[in-house]
Amino acid sequence: MDLTHLMMKAIQIKLKVKLGWNINANEKVGTRITAKYLIKEDGIYPYVSARNIRYGIRQKFLEKGYEIDWYKWESQKKELKDSADPIKYVDNDIFGYLYPIGDIGSIKRVSPVWTSPWLSDEPIELSTDQLGKFPRKEGQPMLAENEVYPPTIGTVYFVITDRIGKFDYYEVFSKESEEFVRKIVSEKKGSKKGELSKEIENKFNEFNEYIKNGYINKEDDKYVLVKDLKNRSRYDRIKDLLTILLKEGWIPARKAQYLYLPEYIKAEIYAVNGIKSFSILEKRDIASDKDFIEKRILLDYKEDTEKKIEDIIEKLSKFLQ
């Protein structure tokens, strides 16, 4: 599948963030709760996984009143499944999904937002914190160790494209997708009508109702979000995401052993336009591709005012709208 036509505008954010202690615990080894880290020639570099960061972003959207997809339990296959409803669930829109349709394929959305892990800029020394785990019933507490590291500055990258709130027909349960799925079912199973399961029928009917009720419009070859079920627009989603990333910070995942919110140091932001492929966004040094850069913004969180940050968020939101 050729994906190069999916976007024309994007924002790349390079954030310098201070994190510490053990906010993304790794596996437990014996009585020790280990930290996540990479081992290089010059030492140990702690990191926080992209999955942990995405979870924290979901939590912030939940705080703002958005609905989040906590996945559906598929009893027959004994696995969790996405709801694949980007109109109702903001994270289905922002982080994508995959919804299998029996043995004929799936309806999936490629995420319009990419997140890197946070990785320390410098090597650190790990130490341990003694913990006492008390049993629920009678008995002596068990001693445990928690690997910790001092607050350290690291880097995390985000790429946000203008595909938030925009969907190709094959990413949603559109009329075009329904016709295609029914055709495949008819050819594979010999059904003249291309009969679908009740669950899949309901998904196509649900999307059709969204169109009828004005939640989504067809614009050229795209389906575009007008509002979600709580009357939040596509612009609201973009602006709230940028507010989380550039101002508020994300909430560490439940697995965190300590509550240590991100402390922002600096941000380097590039607004790029007219891109023809994803490769430019995957480069760390995006400044070398000057033909695509429309604006470069630098933020210093110790010096810049809250008003300046809010103004930049608004300008970037309008750029992606």
Side-chain angles (χ1 to χ4, degrees):
M1 183 185 297
D2 179 20
L3 298 176
T4 59
H5 68 290
L6 290 179
M7 61 187 180
M8 293 299 292
K9 295 180 181 179
I11 293 169
Q12 186 187 63
I13 300 170
K14 178 183 177 182
L15 268 178
K16 291 289 183 182
V17 182
K18 183 182 286 188
L19 293 173
W21 306 119
N22 189 347
I23 70 165
N24 189 191
N26 204 355
E27 299 300 322
K28 185 177 178 182
V29 179
T31 60
R32 174 172 288 199
I33 301 168
T34 60
K36 281 187 168 68
Y37 53 81
L38 298 177
I39 300 177
K40 298 183 181 182
E41 292 182 357
D42 58 342
I44 293 174
Y45 289 77
Y47 76 94
V48 176
S49 69
R51 183 179 179 183
N52 180 292
I53 295 170
R54 286 194 297 269
Y55 177 91
I57 294 170
R58 283 186 172 95
Q59 290 292 99
K60 289 296 293 186
F61 271 113
L62 195 63
E63 281 188 358
K64 292 178 179 293
Y66 286 88
E67 291 201 54
I68 299 298
D69 181 15
W70 296 116
Y71 307 112
K72 176 184 176 183
W73 177 251
E74 188 72 21
S75 58
Q76 292 182 345
K77 296 185 179 180
K78 294 183 179 180
E79 62 184 16
L80 293 171
K81 185 165 74 173
D82 293 306
S83 296
D85 187 344
I87 314 306
K88 182 177 182 180
Y89 300 115
V90 65
D91 54 331
N92 277 186
D93 178 10
I94 289 173
F95 296 126
Y97 50 79
L98 187 148
Y99 194 97
I101 303 179
D103 59 352
I104 66 171
S106 62
I107 288 181
K108 60 183 177 181
R109 172 162 171 77
V110 177
S111 173
V113 176
W114 289 272
T115 307
S116 79
W118 171 88
L119 180 64
S120 173
D121 290 343
E122 301 289 341
I124 53 87
E125 288 188 12
L126 284 174
S127 58
T128 57
D129 185 16
Q130 298 293 326
L131 302 174
K133 292 196 170 184
F134 291 84
R136 294 182 179 178
K137 296 182 179 180
E138 294 183 3
Q140 296 296 319
M142 293 180 59
L143 292 178
E145 291 182 330
N146 189 38
E147 288 185 345
V148 295
Y149 49 89
T152 182
I153 296 174
T155 305
V156 59
Y157 290 84
F158 299 98
V159 173
I160 307 166
T161 75
D162 64 356
R163 292 180 52 244
I164 293 176
K166 291 182 179 179
F167 315 98
D168 286 285
Y169 76 86
Y170 50 79
E171 293 185 303
V172 289
F173 290 87
S174 62
K175 183 179 179 181
E176 297 93 332
S177 292
E178 183 176 2
E179 291 173 353
F180 178 77
V181 169
R182 288 190 186 279
K183 180 181 178 182
I184 298 298
V185 170
S186 179
E187 292 174 353
K188 279 200 169 189
K189 300 185 178 181
S191 169
K192 293 182 179 179
K193 295 181 179 180
E195 295 176 355
L196 305 174
S197 68
K198 185 176 181 181
E199 177 186 344
I200 302 301
E201 288 274 10
N202 289 339
K203 295 295 289 184
F204 284 116
N205 291 336
E206 183 180 70
F207 189 80
N208 191 45
E209 286 298 313
Y210 284 147
I211 296 174
K212 287 182 179 179
N213 293 322
Y215 292 106
I216 196 166
N217 279 340
K218 182 78 179 291
E219 297 181 10
D220 298 324
D221 61 340
K222 305 281 186 184
Y223 288 92
V224 180
L225 179 74
V226 177
K227 59 182 179 180
D228 64 13
L229 303 188
K230 295 188 176 181
N231 290 317
R232 286 190 168 97
S233 66
R234 175 173 171 266
Y235 174 81
D236 292 332
R237 288 185 175 184
I238 294 171
K239 186 175 181 181
D240 284 339
L241 175 62
L242 286 169
T243 300
I244 292 168
L245 298 183
L246 292 174
K247 182 183 175 185
E248 297 176 350
W250 62 90
I251 301 174
R254 289 171 297 179
K255 203 175 180 182
Q257 299 299 311
Y258 297 89
L259 179 61
Y260 190 97
L261 297 177
E263 182 183 339
Y264 285 8
I265 309 299
K266 291 184 179 181
E268 186 175 2
I269 307 162
Y270 290 95
V272 294
N273 200 349
I275 43 182
K276 301 293 184 182
S277 71
F278 290 131
S279 59
I280 183 176
L281 298 172
E282 295 169 352
K283 298 173 69 173
R284 292 291 191 241
D285 184 20
I286 199 171
S288 62
D289 294 278
K290 296 180 180 179
D291 292 341
F292 298 102
I293 296 172
E294 188 161 307
K295 197 170 187 63
R296 178 175 182 255
I297 300 169
L298 298 177
L299 280 176
D300 186 325
Y301 288 91
K302 290 184 178 180
E303 297 181 1
D304 293 330
T305 64
E306 186 172 323
K307 178 68 166 56
K308 179 181 176 180
I309 296 170
E310 290 173 351
D311 288 344
I312 288 172
I313 289 170
E314 186 171 352
K315 289 177 181 177
L316 292 173
S317 301
K318 290 179 179 178
F319 172 76
L320 287 180
Q321 190 178 20

